[in-house]
């Protein structure tokens, strides 16, 4: 079984968090003026949208390599819709503009990436999230 682990810690003097994994970092915060947020980083909704779109961008590359298709420009836009109290994501929409350099129909690459994409497929199927205090 494959695993991925990230770590997050508060940033001294702020109410933001610094996250890291495998030598990469990201700042997580709320928008300016929201629950002490200073807008120093991305909020949860933005991170969720980045997860959906970022994973799909990687999957387009995986598929293109497997199909021996040369890719040109990739433009992905993800919008998440939220509602309720507590606020939850109720839908996500991803728009993909893909250019191939060798005449391959981009729709075939997009369709295969959609079939294999881990984040969107995981969210669509649902999975348990356990929250436990550290011991």
């Amino acid at each position: 079984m494959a695993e991925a682990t990230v770590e997050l810690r508060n940033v001294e003097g702020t109410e933001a968090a610094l996250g890291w994994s495998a030598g990469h970092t990201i700042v997580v915060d709320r928008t300016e003026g929201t629950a002490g947020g200073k807008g120093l980083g991305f909020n949860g909704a933005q991170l969720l949208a980045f997860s959906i779109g970022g994973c799909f961008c990687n999957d387009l590359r995986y598929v293109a390599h497997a199909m021996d298709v040369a890719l040109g420009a990739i433009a992905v836009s993800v919008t998440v819709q939220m509602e309720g109290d507590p606020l939850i994501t109720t839908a996500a929409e991803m728009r993909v503009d893909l250019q191939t350099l060798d005449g391959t129909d981009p729709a075939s690459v997009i369709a295969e990436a959609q079939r294999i994409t881990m984040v969107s497929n995981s969210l669509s199927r649902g999975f348990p999230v356990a929250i436990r205090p550290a011991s």
Side-chain angles (χ1 to χ4, degrees):
M1 171 178 31
E3 290 185 340
T5 301
V6 302
E7 301 288 338
L8 295 115
R9 304 290 185 274
N10 64 300
V11 177
E12 188 72 30
T14 76
E15 293 188 22
L18 177 67
W20 68 91
S21 181
H24 304 287
T25 60
I26 191 164
V27 177
V28 183
D29 198 3
R30 281 114 17 249
T31 56
E32 179 91 33
T34 303
K38 301 229 185 297
L40 299 174
F42 300 106
N43 67 32
Q46 293 166 327
L47 289 169
L48 180 59
F50 273 128
S51 292
I52 293 167
C55 182
F56 198 78
C57 285
N58 283 342
D59 292 330
L60 288 168
R61 296 289 181 183
Y62 292 137
V63 167
H65 279 262
M67 294 173 68
D68 200 26
V69 173
L71 296 185
I74 298 172
V76 172
S77 176
V78 179
T79 301
V80 295
Q81 298 173 355
M82 300 158 288
E83 60 184 58
D85 185 16
L87 192 63
I88 62 167
T89 299
T90 56
E93 179 179 82
M94 181 169 27
R95 296 187 179 270
V96 180
D97 185 8
L98 178 65
Q99 297 174 357
T100 62
L101 300 177
D102 58 7
T104 300
D105 181 5
S108 64
V109 178
I110 293 169
E112 180 61 8
Q114 181 177 359
R115 186 186 73 76
I116 68 162
T117 191
M118 187 273 296
V119 171
S120 294
N121 288 336
S122 297
L123 291 169
S124 295
R125 295 174 187 164
F127 55 91
V129 177
I131 301 175
R132 299 182 180 102
S135 37

